[in-house]
Amino acid sequence: MGMVPSRGPPASADRAPWSTPLWRAAPQTHGVPHRAPTPQFLLGESDVGQNRAEASQRVLAELNPHVVVAAHTGELSEAFLASFQVVVLTESPLEEQLRIGDFCHARGICFIVADAKGLAGQLFCDFGECFVVDDPAEGDPVRAAVQHISQGNPGVVTYMGAEDSRGHLFCDGDLVTFSGVEGMTELNGREPVPVHVLDAFRLEIGDTSSFSPYRCGGLVSQVRLPQVHSYEPLRRALAEPQIQVASPEDLPRSRSLHAAFQALHAFRGEQGRLPRPRAPVDAERVLELARSLVAQEGSLDEDVVRAFASVSAGDLCPMAAVIGALAAQEVLKAITKKFLPLDQWLYFDALECLALEGAAQLTEDDCAPRGSRYDGQIAVFGAAFQEQLGRQKYLVVGAGAIGCELLKNFAMMGLAAGPGGDLTVTDMDTVALSNLHRQLLYRSADISKPKSVVAAAAVRHMNPSVRVTAHQNQVGPATEPLYGDNFFRRLDGVASALDTLEARAYLESRCFRCLTPLLDSGTEGPRGNVLAMVPRLTKLLEPAGAPGDGTFPRCTLRYFPRTIHHTLQWARDEFEGLFQLPAEHVNRFMEDPAFLEQLPAGKALEVLEQVRGSLWERPRDWQDCVHWARRHWQSCYHDAITQLLHTFPPEHETSPGVPFWAEDRSCPHPLTFDPDNDTHLEYILAAAHLFAQVHKVPPCSDRAATQTILRSMVLPPFAPQEGLQIPLTEEREEVQAPAVPRCKGTTLGVPVPPDGVRLAVLTQDLMQRRQELVGGEEAQVPLMEPIHFEKDNNIHVDFITAASNLRAENYGIPPADWLTSKRIAGRIVPAIITTTAAVAGLACLEVYKLVWGCRDPSCYRNSNLCLSNCLLLRIQPLPPPTYQYGGREWSSWDRLEMRAVGADGQEMTVQEVLDWLQRTHGWTVTMLLRGHTVLYDREEDEETRTRQRAQRLSENLEDAGEPGQRELELYYVCEGEDAEAEDARPPLLCSLP
């Protein structure tokens, strides 16, 4: 259980709002003031005058019905605190922090302090004198396939990483265990041993000189042992702070902020209030108090303390989002003992915002309260800036996890909440159950509703003044008539959180073309980043490295899997090949058999065999489906493996003394079916259910009845085929594929006729069968129901998990549990709401700078964070690269712009464009293109050149099928260009009248 106090007015009775068996609030005796504080998104205008704890509790309870949330309005007595596992204080007086910190430390209660003042925040953790971290690192422990182990002191392990691994899998000092090693069996089951890394594929593991010679196989697995950590109580940590920083250069600034926060507490104790915004006298008093706390002369950055104090009365939603997210992740660490806790202080600031041009000239009057819901923001940036925020026009692309957090922040900030403001959110998706744990704008009642519509309604509820519009469109080439150049040029900024490289690259290109600022955010588990692309000031966004596409060599998947990723991909292929493709092909064949003529001969034969198998195997009832699933199990996990071992026996050698089953090939073994084995039965139930769905037969979930059917089945013995060729590489497989047996096939071991003969016979048989079905009562349209894999469908994941784990058992690969299988097979990117909240907060800090119109690149920040070890790195974006062309230097943002109106008032001809380039820049153009369309080529004959020069630009558009396009980007080649100018020239943008 935990307790979280909330924000309150500057008084000693400051307490917190809510309480649950997991979270409880400190006392909160006061009500909601006449304005809802800017960062408090749980409260609205209707809550004014109500107790803030109780008002917050009602909204919190809606977030997750499985968490009981209760408000506590009593005192924070020791008897009350003793029942909690975690206590979090937010914006609590220092005296209270020290009292509760002492108590929690003595009782072994994890204690956290989180505070945000203006543009700076602090976080403190004390998890006691003996806190055990069960799993200190991200991700799953590393495992790799062993290729060889030497006999020696030390012994050297050579291993093979997974296809998607990058660099070293192991680190010096890692503890590892071994399993499945043949030959050097002494390693199997031993206690974990430390390793020394030699290179990306070799480890030293200690003395193996007395062990048996290594033969083949085995896995080396990383072992993570619990770690014990000790923390100082707050009272001691204040005087001797252990501050965590991203780099040593940040430590002096963090130490200055440490003194500044203590000085602020002292000022509040003296004055009974926070320093007035932009009041020099108050700021200087805080600085005096800070100086008295610093023992070493000159170690205090006085400019930082003065800037901090001048806006410390401010309340900013983005700052609350960042500090709140960091604190929430520390709470999760305290509860789950996953990841290393903060040791012990963290300071974060965005005081660079005060360096914005004109910000230093703000006066006390500019930042004085107006009785507005935005007074906390006005205290930092002034009233005129708040009006500018209200006039903003922004596009949010994606209403997923980060999109929800951005929209929540925008509502609290008042973005687009004034005259002329406009906030557009677009997302094609609908709300799904799996969204609810991290996308805070949605509730269970919203499932299946359009995300953008629900999100826009939530924004209006938080702040009725925000002018928000919901779209359900993808931003891409197909929607350029809606999101064209004029649309992007009227925007003040775009905020995106896209999950595909293609969509991200397209949006970047649109913003680049229209000189529109772009803030791009992304997360993966506890890691996140924010990139700012500011026209003419920063370089374009870095193209992200191409992620693994989940593909592996086919021969690896079919014959030589080494990891659970291989077996899961094989199971995905099985799913598609059993329950999707055959049904699609049958339906298409029944509708129009002529579609086969459009396929290559080899592909047509494969499709026809799928169609034949589906039509001849049509089940009549559930029992037929179980029979089919049992036969398929036998084919995959017994017969196919038996055939492989018949072709390549365990003792087989590729050459004398060189075993075939070695290095990246693990020798498999066939399985024997057991209806009482849970994995075997789960496979049958899932496969039979899906097979029934495909053929529109009512399924059954009765395990006992299914087991009875299975026990009555007797399958014929399998006879391996002699002389079968099995490809050992992907290239050979592509050539020999038709002759390779697959577990889906029913003719394993039977000689097959040449392709041409098989194709003709199959076609004739299937046409006859089609006529029978079309003319009979069985005919349905469509005949079968294709099933596409859905990661949120439990039956689908049941099949994938069982199919993969059975395959893994064949090859001695450790199995994966249901959730891990779902994550890998569903290609789910890990996502947690703490990371998305922090990333959105960091992005909104950059929005402040864009709204201010900042043209100083040193004020902007790109951010990278890792909540697993509580690290936050913010760096200045790099400037745009430059290049030489036509005798001058150009920036990557530079372009040539022309209004393509000729002397006669009509749109320009190609000749007039050529003349403009010659007249304006002195360039003689030898070729002019739009995309792949050649508008002019000096190498053509005179007649062609004359015709090209006389054409108007829109004539070429009509030829290209784009008559409505009015903004053109042209590509040109000029006389005298060198080879280096191939891709380095400013684009020519033409606006047609």
Side-chain angles (χ1 to χ4, degrees):
M1 293 190 297
M3 184 269 317
V4 185
S6 76
R7 295 174 175 272
S12 60
D14 190 8
R15 296 291 187 265
W18 60 87
S19 124
T20 83
L22 179 61
W23 298 93
R24 287 197 181 173
Q28 172 71 340
T29 57
H30 58 273
V32 178
H34 69 279
R35 59 178 180 84
T38 302
Q40 194 16 326
F41 68 92
L42 297 175
L43 303 177
E45 300 293 341
S46 62
D47 298 313
V48 171
Q50 299 185 38
N51 178 276
R52 195 161 64 176
E54 294 171 349
S56 299
Q57 181 272 339
R58 289 192 292 271
V59 183
L60 282 169
E62 297 175 358
L63 291 175
N64 190 337
H66 300 292
V67 177
V68 179
V69 184
H72 178 77
T73 56
E75 290 300 320
L76 291 180
S77 65
E78 292 186 355
F80 172 73
L81 294 171
S83 63
F84 293 98
Q85 178 184 349
V86 184
V87 171
V88 184
L89 296 183
T90 64
E91 305 213 12
S92 177
L94 182 58
E95 297 77 13
E96 185 176 67
Q97 292 177 13
L98 292 170
R99 176 177 66 85
I100 295 177
D102 289 343
F103 174 80
C104 290
H105 188 85
R107 292 297 186 92
I109 299 170
C110 294
F111 177 64
I112 299 172
V113 174
D115 203 356
K117 291 288 187 290
L119 285 165
Q122 72 174 172
L123 184 63
F124 170 77
C125 291
D126 169 17
F127 287 5
E129 296 180 1
C130 186
F131 182 79
V132 178
V133 182
D134 291 335
D135 189 359
E138 290 180 51
D140 298 323
V142 173
R143 289 189 295 193
V146 175
Q147 291 184 300
H148 186 262
I149 306 173
S150 69
Q151 289 176 294
N153 187 12
V156 176
V157 178
T158 304
Y159 65 88
M160 176 175 289
E163 279 81 351
D164 57 353
S165 64
R166 299 286 185 272
H168 296 253
L169 294 179
F170 299 93
C171 299
D172 278 344
D174 278 353
L175 296 174
V176 301
T177 58
F178 292 85
S179 60
V181 174
E182 297 185 29
M184 196 177 285
T185 55
E186 294 89 343
L187 286 174
N188 294 329
R190 285 173 62 93
E191 290 296 312
V193 296
V195 301
H196 171 64
V197 176
L198 295 177
D199 55 39
F201 303 103
R202 293 187 304 152
L203 308 169
E204 288 182 348
I205 60 168
D207 189 359
T208 61
S209 58
S210 62
F211 293 172
S212 306
Y214 173 80
R215 194 170 72 81
C216 64
L219 287 174
V220 54
S221 303
Q222 181 189 46
V223 176
R224 293 177 182 165
L225 297 180
Q227 298 181 6
V228 179
H229 292 262
S230 178
Y231 300 89
E232 299 290 346
L234 175 63
R235 194 176 298 275
R236 192 177 306 151
L238 273 174
E240 302 173 7
Q242 177 72 26
I243 302 176
Q244 187 162 302
V245 291
S247 66
E249 293 78 13
D250 298 333
L251 188 56
R253 186 180 188 91
S254 291
R255 288 190 176 278
S256 296
L257 286 170
H258 182 73
F261 268 91
Q262 292 182 73
L264 191 66
H265 282 294
F267 180 94
R268 192 169 183 173
E270 284 183 356
Q271 306 291 330
R273 60 173 175 83
L274 290 171
R276 293 185 300 272
R278 305 285 178 166
V281 173
D282 286 357
E284 289 302 320
R285 178 55 185 157
V286 172
L287 180 57
E288 289 176 14
L289 293 168
R291 289 189 187 117
S292 68
L293 296 169
V294 177
Q296 185 177 351
E297 188 72 26
S299 61
L300 187 70
D301 189 327
E302 297 191 354
D303 289 338
V304 167
V305 177
R306 193 178 287 110
F308 164 75
S310 70
V311 294
S312 58
D315 265 341
L316 299 178
C317 182
M319 289 298 303
V322 174
I323 297 300
L326 294 174
Q329 188 65 50
E330 295 306 306
V331 172
L332 292 178
K333 294 175 185 178
I335 296 169
T336 65
K337 301 189 176 183
K338 169 74 174 176
F339 300 147
L340 290 175
L342 170 65
D343 185 23
Q344 284 188 265
W345 291 96
L346 177 77
Y347 286 91
F348 164 70
D349 76 88
L351 292 172
E352 74 275 359
C353 291
L354 300 183
L356 300 172
E357 184 179 357
Q361 283 71 49
L362 288 173
T363 66
E364 192 172 344
D365 288 340
D366 294 329
C367 301
R370 264 65 172 173
S372 158
R373 66 180 292 156
Y374 309 117
D375 278 355
Q377 201 160 249
I378 290 172
V380 178
F381 296 110
F385 176 82
Q386 189 61 50
E387 294 178 2
Q388 183 68 13
L389 261 174
R391 292 191 290 269
Q392 293 297 292
K393 296 177 175 63
Y394 260 72
L395 170 67
V396 176
V397 184
I402 298 176
C404 283
E405 296 288 340
L406 288 169
L407 290 167
K408 176 260 292 181
N409 290 348
F410 287 168
M412 295 297 97
M413 292 161 61
L415 187 86
D422 180 54
L423 177 60
T424 301
V425 54
T426 185
D427 195 306
M428 297 175 64
D429 287 346
T430 56
V431 179
L433 177 63
S434 60
N435 299 148
L436 301 185
H437 80 282
R438 66 188 186 281
Q439 300 180 16
L440 63 84
L441 299 186
Y442 309 131
R443 305 292 182 267
S444 56
D446 300 321
I447 291 174
S448 298
K449 295 179 182 179
K451 281 186 175 181
S452 60
V453 174
V454 177
V459 168
R460 294 188 198 98
H461 179 75
M462 291 180 187
N463 188 342
S465 299
V466 175
R467 293 159 166 81
V468 58
T469 304
H471 291 184
Q472 299 172 49
N473 308 307
Q474 182 182 26
V475 179
T479 55
E480 283 191 12
L482 180 61
Y483 307 116
D485 288 352
N486 289 336
F487 176 86
F488 274 92
R489 283 175 180 151
R490 76 176 183 84
L491 295 174
D492 295 297
V494 175
S496 75
L498 295 165
D499 54 6
T500 69
L501 292 177
E502 295 80 7
R504 182 176 180 266
Y506 175 81
L507 188 61
E508 178 192 340
S509 70
R510 298 297 293 152
C511 291
F512 168 73
R513 175 185 173 91
C514 299
L515 299 177
T516 305
L518 171 64
L519 295 173
D520 183 77
S521 307
T523 68
E524 182 175 0
R527 297 176 179 269
N529 73 314
V530 177
L531 300 176
M533 189 178 86
V534 186
R536 305 191 188 281
L537 293 187
T538 69
K539 67 180 299 186
L540 301 183
L541 301 184
E542 287 288 347
D549 58 4
T551 60
F552 303 100
R554 284 186 295 175
C555 61
T556 298
L557 297 182
R558 287 173 62 181
Y559 306 111
F560 312 118
R562 300 185 303 277
T563 70
I564 200 67
H565 290 77
H566 294 155
T567 63
L568 283 165
Q569 183 59 49
W570 176 87
R572 277 291 305 266
D573 293 345
E574 275 279 286
F575 189 100
E576 181 181 275
L578 293 172
F579 310 121
Q580 177 191 330
L581 295 179
E584 290 176 344
H585 293 150
V586 165
N587 291 343
R588 195 168 177 190
F589 176 79
M590 294 298 293
E591 180 182 350
D592 178 21
F595 90 94
L596 294 167
E597 299 173 3
Q598 305 168 13
L599 301 176
K603 183 67 175 177
L605 182 60
E606 179 184 342
V607 169
L608 279 176
E609 287 178 335
Q610 283 186 339
V611 171
R612 182 188 65 174
S614 298
L615 293 181
W616 262 260
E617 290 177 332
R618 294 189 71 209
R620 295 164 298 177
D621 50 28
W622 173 249
Q623 179 171 297
D624 284 351
C625 296
V626 173
H627 287 167
W628 172 87
R630 174 65 182 89
R631 291 194 300 270
H632 194 71
W633 189 101
Q634 191 74 8
S635 175
C636 288
Y637 305 111
H638 180 275
D639 297 354
I641 301 300
T642 301
Q643 176 66 62
L644 185 60
L645 292 175
H646 180 78
T647 305
F648 299 115
E651 66 279 2
H652 183 73
E653 295 182 341
T654 54
S655 60
V658 180
F660 176 84
W661 295 106
E663 297 186 348
D664 58 346
R665 300 192 193 114
S666 297
C667 185
H669 66 276
L671 305 183
T672 300
F673 184 78
D674 178 3
D676 295 317
N677 181 294
D678 286 341
T679 306
H680 296 195
L681 185 58
E682 287 294 338
Y683 177 91
I684 297 297
L685 287 168
H689 183 105
L690 293 166
F691 191 68
Q693 182 180 340
V694 167
H695 288 277
K696 302 183 178 181
V697 170
C700 173
S701 57
D702 190 329
R703 296 173 70 93
T706 301
Q707 285 177 305
T708 300
I709 296 172
L710 292 169
R711 290 191 178 98
S712 67
M713 285 189 68
V714 178
L715 298 181
F718 173 71
Q721 179 180 341
E722 298 293 340
L724 183 68
Q725 295 295 313
I726 293 180
L728 302 182
T729 65
E730 189 165 13
E731 291 76 13
R732 289 186 60 189
E733 181 172 19
E734 291 174 0
V735 175
Q736 300 177 1
V740 176
R742 304 186 68 151
C743 66
K744 302 188 195 73
T746 57
T747 59
L748 192 60
V750 178
V752 294
D755 286 358
V757 177
R758 292 167 64 200
L759 187 60
V761 171
L762 273 174
T763 302
Q764 182 178 352
D765 288 350
L766 288 173
M767 289 302 292
Q768 181 177 346
R769 178 61 174 158
R770 178 179 181 275
Q771 286 299 115
E772 294 172 0
L773 290 171
V774 170
E777 295 181 358
E778 298 179 70
Q780 303 178 51
V781 179
L783 189 64
M784 298 175 67
E785 179 185 336
I787 303 175
H788 294 260
F789 175 74
E790 292 287 346
K791 64 181 182 295
D792 293 323
N793 186 300
N794 288 351
I795 295 293
H796 296 192
V797 179
D798 286 347
F799 174 84
I800 293 294
T801 303
S804 170
N805 285 341
L806 289 167
R807 180 79 164 168
E809 186 179 350
N810 278 139
Y811 284 86
I813 299 169
D817 60 31
W818 194 88
L819 286 175
T820 301
S821 299
K822 174 179 178 176
R823 175 177 58 82
I824 297 173
R827 296 171 187 142
I828 299 172
V829 176
I832 49 178
I833 194 170
T834 48
T835 314
T836 55
V839 161
L842 292 167
C844 289
L845 290 173
E846 302 309 302
V847 170
Y848 285 140
K849 302 164 190 178
L850 292 172
V851 174
W852 195 278
C854 176
R855 303 307 300 166
D856 181 358
S858 67
C859 290
Y860 289 96
R861 296 291 185 271
N862 287 341
S863 300
N864 289 278
L865 64 91
C866 182
L867 297 188
S868 62
N869 50 13
C870 205
L871 286 179
L872 174 57
L873 177 64
R874 302 173 75 227
I875 59 174
Q876 181 182 332
L878 294 174
T882 60
Y883 59 92
Q884 294 290 327
Y885 184 81
R888 58 161 285 193
E889 184 177 78
W890 301 82
S891 159
S892 59
W893 283 97
D894 288 333
R895 71 277 311 281
L896 310 178
E897 296 182 283
M898 62 177 293
R899 179 163 167 73
V901 179
D904 58 358
Q906 303 297 312
E907 74 177 53
M908 282 186 176
T909 63
V910 169
Q911 181 63 61
E912 287 175 307
V913 174
L914 302 179
D915 292 342
W916 184 87
L917 287 167
Q918 177 68 56
R919 182 175 63 255
T920 307
H921 297 282
W923 299 340
T924 301
V925 176
T926 59
M927 182 175 287
L928 186 68
L929 307 95
R930 179 178 182 271
H932 297 291
T933 303
V934 177
L935 306 183
Y936 172 73
D937 186 354
R938 194 171 69 176
E939 298 301 316
E940 294 285 354
D941 58 69
E942 179 61 32
E943 180 181 350
T944 301
R945 294 200 308 272
T946 301
R947 176 176 51 78
Q948 289 175 335
R949 290 194 297 260
Q951 277 191 314
R952 296 192 185 275
L953 295 178
S954 62
E955 297 178 51
N956 293 286
L957 290 178
E958 292 169 3
D959 294 341
E962 302 175 285
Q965 187 74 28
R966 311 314 294 167
E967 302 285 340
L968 307 183
E969 182 172 344
L970 304 184
Y971 177 88
Y972 53 89
V973 179
C974 293
E975 193 176 70
E977 281 189 5
D978 54 30
E980 295 181 357
E982 182 68 25
D983 295 312
R985 58 172 64 80
L988 173 59
L989 304 183
C990 302
S991 299
L992 301 185

